[in-house]
Structure formats: structure tokens, C-alpha cells
Amino acid sequence: MQWAAIAALKAPDSYYEELKRDYSAKKAILVEGLNAVGLKVFPSSGTYFVVVDHTPFGLENDIAFCEYLIKEVGVVAIPTSVFYLNPEDGKNLVRFTFCKDEGTLRAAVERMKEKLKRK
């Protein structure tokens, strides 16, 4: 870990500027796509996750929605209830990550547009 920290501290500013531009572009692809699908996207910063409200699609909780996404749509999301002391508090939310290549993000968004239907 210390060697990694040294390498990070020695990296030029340009590395971090490019990384920020890259992640900002990927985030925009995902957020625009999730909005187009009809999910309520919550603002995020300082992370490579985007949290959404899945309830417009009529599944009982975050786990059911994530299982539906995997089986029927071919997209993976993370149920948030596992992060709550009371899982009920997170049952309406799931999170997606944008630390993928742009092609993967675009393909996931297209699959959701084609296959994800409001119930």
C-alpha cells in the first residue's frame, strides 16, 4: 500500500486531470442513460457510483430489481439495502458504477432502454 501511495503522490497533475475528465464523461453517459430509462438519479460526487430510485418499475425491493436486471436485461446493479442497519431503509435504491469502459456503459444503457419496462 505504501508503494502505491508513493506512486500516486509522484504522478503528474496531468494524470489526475485526465482521470477526472474520463470519469466525468463516463458518469455523463450513465446518468443520461438512467434518466432516459426513467430512473430517478440522485446527485453524486467523489465516487464512481450513481444511486437511483428503482420504484417506477414496480419490483418489491432493491434485491428483486437487481435480480430482474441481471436475468432479464443483462445489466448488473448493486442493491443498497445491504449497506443499511435497517435494510428497509435502502430497499428503494440501487447503485450503478461508471468505472467501466464507455462501450460497456453504452451497451448497458441500450439494453435497459430496450428491455426495462415500467410495471
Side-chain angles (χ1 to χ4, degrees), residues 4-49:
I6 291 168
L9 291 170
K10 287 183 175 181
D13 289 344
S14 61
Y15 170 80
Y16 294 103
E17 291 162 4
E18 183 178 336
L19 184 65
K20 183 178 178 180
R21 273 193 309 274
D22 182 49
Y23 271 32
S24 292
K26 291 175 181 183
K27 180 180 178 181
I29 292 167
L30 184 59
V31 168
E32 289 170 16
L34 294 171
N35 279 319
V37 168
L39 291 160
K40 179 182 178 188
V41 180
F42 293 95
S44 68
S45 60
T47 179
Y48 47 77
F49 293 104

Side-chain angles (χ1 to χ4, degrees), residues 61-99:
N61 59 39
D62 57 330
I63 294 171
F65 182 76
C66 288
E67 288 176 349
Y68 175 82
L69 275 180
I70 292 167
K71 293 175 184 173
E72 303 298 327
V73 182
V75 173
V76 175
I78 303 161
T80 63
S81 62
V82 299
F83 300 110
Y84 286 82
L85 184 58
N86 177 4
E88 284 293 305
D89 293 340
K91 73 178 187 174
N92 295 334
L93 306 172
V94 297
R95 69 185 194 169
F96 293 88
T97 185
F98 53 88
C99 61

